[in-house]
Amino acid sequence: MAIAFPPRIVCSEKSTIEKAVMVSPSSPVPPVILTQDELKKIAAYKAVEYVESGMVLGLGTGSTAWFAVNRIGELLQQGKLKNIVGIPTSKKTHEQALSLGIPLSDLDKHPVLDLAIDGADEVDPYLNLVKGRGGSLLREKMVEGACRKFVVIVDESKLVDHLGGSGLAMPVEIVPFCWKFTAYRLQRLFEYAGCVAKLRTCGENGEPVVTDNANYIVDLYFKKDIGDLKVASDSILRLAGVVEHGMFLDMATTVIIAGELGVTVKNK
């Protein structure tokens, strides 16, 4: 199935930035208002254009990556892609890929991937990311850290001036043992940025969210810029009890951003 772009969109490609811009007709036409899901689908379909037959692919997790995985399955069924091997980043993506007939493997058999496609919760001007609000940050970082090219797909609402700038969660996966102690230490670590650390829980019952790796997630909320991201990363990872955090630094090679005026492609 071909992707349905808004009417009268023209794409022009440059070496590092590609924009699809609305063309104003001679007579006024009401603007096309796209939903967030439509923007996600546009970005996902554009990312799948990077996929070639014979590739080993990292298959991302989340609402945007879902469209990309579906598209890959569709192209396989149509015979337009062949000999694809997928490495899923979560149990949920594993189930989705199996339902679509995408052959799957793991990092033990394929330690180097050709390409990974995934969404992000935040993207800063340097293409650093926050990921993991869907709870799969550890597996995502393992898979996407093993690929030659990492294509990130987002809608324009995910763009921030600095990581944590949305005011939403920056996830940290931790072991369940003495989780309150670990959460307290994480909060103290970023006290200068007004950090609040909260255990992620399930709905009304208040039970902790458990990751695919049987760990908990502590979400960090910042009121101010946390400063040097590599220093922040190292500080988090040095805390005993921390498994991984959701800052993906210097990992994305391409970010595809879908917005009301079209698609922008940024390359590292």
Side-chain angles (χ1 to χ4, degrees), residues 163-179:
L163 295 194
S166 69
L168 301 176
M170 199 283 279
V172 180
E173 187 162 343
I174 67 169
V175 297
F177 177 73
C178 293
W179 70 262

Side-chain angles (χ1 to χ4, degrees), residues 16 50 114-116 126-129 144 147-152 250-256 265-268:
T16 58
Y50 289 84
D114 297 296
L115 172 70
Y126 306 99
L127 307 191
N128 294 311
L129 318 171
E144 290 149 12
C147 62
R148 294 189 178 98
K149 188 175 183 67
F150 177 25
V151 178
V152 178
D250 298 322
M251 290 180 63
T253 55
T254 299
V255 176
I256 299 174
V265 178
K266 295 185 177 181
N267 293 312
K268 196 79 171 180

Side-chain angles (χ1 to χ4, degrees), residues 108-127:
D108 292 332
K109 295 178 181 176
H110 298 277
V112 179
L113 284 63
D114 297 296
L115 172 70
I117 299 175
D118 205 353
D121 300 306
E122 293 183 1
V123 180
D124 78 5
Y126 306 99
L127 307 191

